[in-house]
Amino acid sequence: QVQLVESGGGLVQAGGSLRLSCAASGRTVSWYAMGWFRQASGKEREFVAAISWSGGRTYYADSVKGRFTISRDNAKNTVYLQMNSLKPEETAVYYCAADVDDYSGSAYAYSYDYWGQGTQVTVSS
């Protein structure tokens, strides 16, 4: 079993930045691809970013490319999402997830096996 706990969410003005963290426990996630997803109220969960087990490959939704950066520190069993130039429409609950069957990463939520409880990000206009 893997437990994932997100932190770092909060209220930020449009154009501001936040850094989300996802701390894993229970088992090391060093060998797993990790992803970030978000879900706004009344909308479906959507892919934000993913990273391979080594950190050598990263993937982003087109809407966040150039503004968000996913990274990981396997020694700390933690994955990060640096979010810059945030927009009000990016207000959502942000979730991290672990994919135990894929080393490279995926944009598909069904690929992921473990999920955190989420952290709220609110971007004010």
Side-chain angles (χ1 to χ4, degrees), residues 33-82:
M34 301 291 292
W36 285 96
F37 289 76
R38 64 189 179 192
Q39 187 167 18
S41 180
K43 296 187 177 181
E44 293 186 355
R45 191 168 298 189
E46 65 172 355
F47 170 73
V48 176
I51 189 167
S52 64
W53 73 274
S54 67
R57 294 184 180 180
T58 56
Y59 310 88
Y60 297 94
D62 288 343
S63 60
V64 307
K65 282 180 181 177
R67 299 185 297 116
F68 289 15
T69 303
I70 188 171
S71 62
R72 66 190 300 162
D73 185 338
N74 285 342
K76 295 182 178 179
N77 232 17
T78 301
V79 178
Y80 306 96
L81 184 67
Q82 177 67 44

